[in-house]
């Protein structure tokens, strides 16, 4: 199958100077070297065996029983798969089927490779006692799948239709979840390649608009399963190959202070020490930084672009580490540029990136989707997949970034904000050097475009269809 590869959105040779703020931000990051220490990752745990990705994906969407059946019998009963996937659309079912097929073929190949030819097969058979019987492949019982390809591939539309009717209600329609879930309708729209992004609005729903915060944890777990299936089906439909890395286990996690501490830990700490803390969804440190900058920095020219004083920033970070968790830190008399530098430092120090290592490649792959509306829909799916606290922090940041972009006083429009903040959100993908390369400019274009979409359409990304 021909796969579409990520490409630069514009001609980098002709307008690379447009991305100079982005590249300058990356150089500043590289110069001060303030990103989370990758040596904390257990590389052994990051190694992936063939078939692991498909097995992990099936488990994450709630089909762990199918993985167990494939691993034990090297096949899967089609009726079992049909009953497990009866609520999926045709496109979603194809995504599941493809991964079941791949896992089945992989397990059989591994079994064949592990089977050693016995010397008696060469020089003739000798009667064996039961305790000396050799390992052999068991022929699947009638009704199981063909041993070569896993799930049967229909030869015609009629066969395809029959398959769906026999065990599943696979309607040939887009999933009614996430931005296409609430269906998006453009209220005005220049061409997708225009500098100005079109406006979208959530189509009216008779049952109202459901947002992430309206759902219970159990409901969100189910939503994430469906969102992952739809995300994968969408990339398959567009012939986009995304290699999802196995997330390495961290050898140790910082537990004290603020910087380099997982956001889940920061939030749990705040919930315990604050009155009515159980209602908090975003760590106080992030919220207080954004509030300070909204009150004191929106009129400051280049508020996110101009770096703070290096000595003051370093001293403030040390003070925050010692006093913030005790409630003794004060934001009074702080310089807005210092606080904006501290905000970016905080994001880069996270042991688990805000957009997570697992989904960063999927965010980057959105650039290979040509239609803006479809890009927003995929962004919606990815936001739904993020852990709860990552969703809350991203939402708070995007609200702040939008306020910056809408203020005329600071001379930072949407494009400026996106280019400066993109390296801090996608720093794992950003590696500019002193010499400008084509790859640097292309990554600048991709990351800046994604950040621009996140800010522009952030109000849509936290909605979930009621259908």
């Amino acid at each position: 199958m021909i796969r579409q590869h990520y490409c630069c959105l514009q001609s980098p040779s002709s307008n690379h100077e447009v991305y100079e703020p982005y590249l300058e931000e990356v150089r500043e990051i590289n110069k001060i070297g303030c990103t989370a220490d990758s040596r904390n990752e257990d590389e052994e745990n990051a190694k992936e065996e063939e078939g692991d990705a498909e097995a992990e994906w099936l488990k994450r969407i709630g089909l762990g029983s199918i993985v167990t059946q494939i691993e034990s019998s090297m096949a899967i009963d089609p009726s079992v798969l049909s009953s497990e996937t009866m609520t999926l659309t045709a496109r979603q079912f194809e995504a599941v089927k493809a991964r079941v097929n791949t896992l089945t073929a992989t397990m059989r190949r591994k079994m064949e490779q592990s089977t050693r030819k016995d010397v008696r097969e060469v020089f003739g058979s000798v009667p064996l006692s039961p305790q000396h019987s050799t390992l052999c492949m068991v022929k699947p019982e009638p009704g199981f799948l063909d041993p070569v390809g896993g799930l049967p591939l229909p030869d015609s539309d009629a066969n395809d239709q029959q398959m769906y009717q026999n065990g599943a209600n696979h309607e040939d329609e887009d999933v009614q979840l996430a931005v296409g879930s609430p269906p998006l309708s453009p209220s005005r729209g220049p061409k997708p390649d225009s500098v100005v992004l079109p406006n979208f609005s959530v189509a009216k729903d008779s049952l109202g608009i459901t947002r992430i915060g309206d759902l219970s944890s159990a409901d969100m777990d189910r939503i994430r399963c469906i969102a992952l299936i739809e995300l994968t089906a969408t990339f398959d439909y567009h012939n986009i190959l995304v290699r999802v890395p196995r997330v390495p286990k961290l050898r140790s996690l910082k537990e004290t202070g603020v910087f380099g501490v997982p956001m889940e830990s920061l939030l749990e700490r705040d919930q315990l020490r604050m009155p009515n803390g159980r209602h908090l969804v975003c760590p106080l440190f992030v919220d207080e930084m954004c509030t300070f900058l909204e009150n004191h920095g929106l009129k400051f020219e280049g508020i996110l672009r101009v770096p703070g004083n290096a000595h003051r920033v370093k001293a403030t970070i040390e003070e925050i580490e010692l006093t913030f968790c005790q409630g003794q830190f004060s934001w009074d008399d702080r310089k807005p540029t210092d606080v904006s530098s501290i905000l970016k430092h905080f994001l880069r120090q996270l042991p688990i990136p805000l957009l997570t290592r697992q989904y960063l490649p999927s965010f980057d792959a959105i650039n290979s989707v040509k239609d803006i509306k479809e890009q927003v829909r995929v962004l919606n799916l990815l936001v739904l997949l993020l852990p709860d606290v990552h969703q809350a922090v991203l939402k708070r940041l995007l609200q702040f970034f939008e306020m910056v972009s809408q203020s005329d006083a600071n001379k930072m429009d949407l494009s400026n904000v996106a280019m400066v903040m993109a390296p801090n959100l996608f720093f794992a993908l950003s590696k500019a050097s002193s010499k400008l390369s084509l790859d640097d400019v292309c990554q600048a274009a991709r990351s800046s475009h994604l950040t621009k979409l996140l800010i522009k359409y952030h109000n849509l990304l936290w909605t979930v269809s009621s259908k």
Side-chain angles (χ1 to χ4, degrees):
M1 179 183 295
I2 298 176
R3 295 286 188 176
Q4 181 177 347
H5 295 282
Y6 311 155
C7 58
C8 203
L9 296 176
Q10 302 178 43
S11 173
S13 60
S14 61
N15 62 352
H16 65 266
E17 66 277 358
V18 173
Y19 299 104
E20 188 56 36
Y22 174 101
L23 299 168
E24 185 60 36
E25 183 75 14
V26 174
R27 294 188 192 103
E28 182 69 18
I29 293 171
N30 292 339
K31 182 174 68 175
I32 60 181
C34 57
T35 58
D37 190 354
S38 60
R39 291 173 299 178
N40 192 35
E41 299 173 358
D42 190 342
E43 294 181 0
E44 290 301 316
N45 287 301
K47 293 180 180 178
E48 186 174 284
E49 295 290 334
E50 188 179 9
D52 285 354
E54 289 77 16
E56 178 65 22
W57 186 88
L58 289 166
K59 290 176 182 178
R60 289 182 60 210
I61 65 171
L63 297 181
S65 60
I66 287 179
V67 174
T68 302
Q69 187 175 129
I70 293 173
E71 290 175 343
S72 61
S73 63
M74 306 298 148
I76 179 67
D77 186 341
S79 63
V80 173
L81 186 69
S82 293
S83 64
E84 292 282 358
T85 59
M86 63 189 307
T87 59
L88 302 184
T89 65
R91 199 163 77 178
Q92 292 171 349
F93 179 74
E94 288 299 317
V96 174
K97 184 174 69 175
R99 278 136 193 94
V100 169
N101 282 342
T102 301
L103 180 60
T104 304
T106 300
M107 295 304 298
R108 287 174 180 154
R109 186 165 57 253
K110 286 183 177 180
M111 177 63 75
E112 291 169 359
Q113 291 172 352
S114 65
T115 304
R116 296 288 185 264
K117 179 169 280 192
D118 196 287
V119 67
R120 285 160 293 197
E121 295 179 20
V122 178
F123 295 103
S125 60
V126 178
L128 298 175
S129 60
Q131 63 266 33
H132 293 99
S133 61
T134 56
L135 180 65
C136 64
M137 291 289 290
V138 179
K139 184 176 180 180
E141 295 294 328
F144 276 72
L145 302 176
D146 177 76
V148 176
L151 285 169
L153 296 176
D155 296 326
S156 66
D157 292 339
N159 290 337
D160 196 19
Q161 201 170 23
Q162 184 178 4
M163 180 187 296
Y164 297 148
Q165 291 172 351
N166 284 343
N169 181 25
H170 300 291
E171 298 176 1
D172 192 11
E173 60 182 16
D174 288 338
V175 66
Q176 291 300 310
L177 167 76
V179 179
S181 310
L184 291 180
S185 56
S187 55
R188 65 175 177 86
K191 295 181 179 180
D193 58 351
S194 172
V195 174
V196 179
L197 294 174
N199 287 334
F200 293 113
S201 60
V202 180
K204 292 183 179 180
D205 192 313
S206 59
L207 298 178
I209 298 175
T210 302
R211 300 189 181 276
I212 289 177
D214 301 329
L215 301 173
S216 66
S217 296
D219 287 337
M220 279 305 302
D221 288 341
R222 288 189 286 269
I223 291 294
R224 286 188 176 100
C225 288
I226 301 172
L228 180 57
I229 298 172
E230 176 61 13
L231 176 70
T232 307
T234 299
F235 283 148
D236 286 354
Y237 176 79
H238 290 286
N239 292 323
I240 299 171
L241 179 61
V242 180
R243 294 293 184 189
V244 179
R246 170 172 283 192
V247 180
K249 293 181 180 179
L250 299 178
R251 295 174 183 172
S252 61
L253 290 173
K254 187 168 176 278
E255 297 179 356
T256 59
V258 172
F259 301 94
V261 177
M263 290 189 292
E264 288 84 355
S265 300
L266 292 177
L267 181 60
E268 289 173 3
R269 190 189 301 165
D270 292 339
Q271 290 172 335
L272 289 174
R273 72 181 180 90
M274 296 298 295
N276 298 318
R278 66 182 184 277
H279 299 300
L280 292 175
V281 295
C282 178
L284 286 173
F285 181 70
V286 175
D287 185 56
E288 289 184 10
M289 273 193 300
C290 291
T291 300
F292 173 87
L293 290 169
E294 288 166 355
N295 292 334
H296 303 284
L298 292 183
K299 295 183 180 180
F300 195 97
E301 184 174 339
I303 178 57
L304 294 175
R305 183 180 65 252
V306 178
N309 179 276
H311 295 293
R312 282 201 309 265
V313 168
K314 182 179 179 181
T316 305
I317 288 174
E318 293 173 352
E319 184 182 353
I320 289 170
E321 284 287 270
L322 294 173
T323 63
F324 185 85
C325 295
Q326 286 70 41
Q328 299 172 357
F329 181 80
S330 173
W331 296 98
D332 294 341
D333 301 323
R334 307 293 175 178
K335 302 294 183 182
T337 51
D338 292 349
V339 177
S340 69
S341 293
I342 292 170
L343 170 60
K344 291 185 280 189
H345 177 79
F346 171 81
L347 293 175
R348 297 192 296 263
Q349 280 289 302
L350 289 172
I352 303 173
L354 178 61
L355 302 179
T356 74
R357 290 181 183 84
Q358 192 168 25
Y359 293 119
L360 272 173
S362 296
F363 276 97
D364 197 37
I366 291 175
N367 288 293
S368 294
V369 178
K370 295 181 180 179
D371 181 64
I372 293 292
K373 181 178 176 180
E374 183 74 345
Q375 289 181 346
V376 176
R377 192 181 75 87
V378 176
L379 269 181
N380 183 200
L381 292 168
L382 283 166
V383 168
L384 291 172
L385 286 167
L386 293 176
D388 292 346
V389 66
H390 289 245
Q391 290 175 347
V393 170
L394 179 61
K395 183 176 183 179
R396 184 66 183 92
L397 290 173
L398 295 178
Q399 290 170 341
F400 164 58
F401 297 156
E402 182 183 50
M403 293 179 68
V404 173
S405 69
Q406 292 177 345
S407 173
D408 295 331
N410 58 56
K411 296 184 179 180
M412 294 195 71
D413 60 15
L414 179 59
S415 295
N416 297 144
V417 174
M419 275 192 282
V420 170
M421 291 310 303
N424 299 283
L425 296 176
F426 298 95
F427 64 83
L429 305 173
S430 309
K431 298 179 180 178
S433 59
S434 57
K435 292 184 178 180
L436 191 66
S437 70
L438 178 64
D439 287 344
D440 294 335
V441 178
C442 284
Q443 186 57 58
R446 292 195 298 268
S447 299
S448 298
H449 177 69
L450 289 173
T451 307
K452 196 172 180 180
L453 292 179
L454 284 167
I455 299 171
K456 170 76 174 178
Y457 302 113
H458 76 90
N459 285 322
L460 303 176
L461 303 181
W462 274 259
T463 57
V464 182
S465 174
S466 58
K467 295 182 180 180

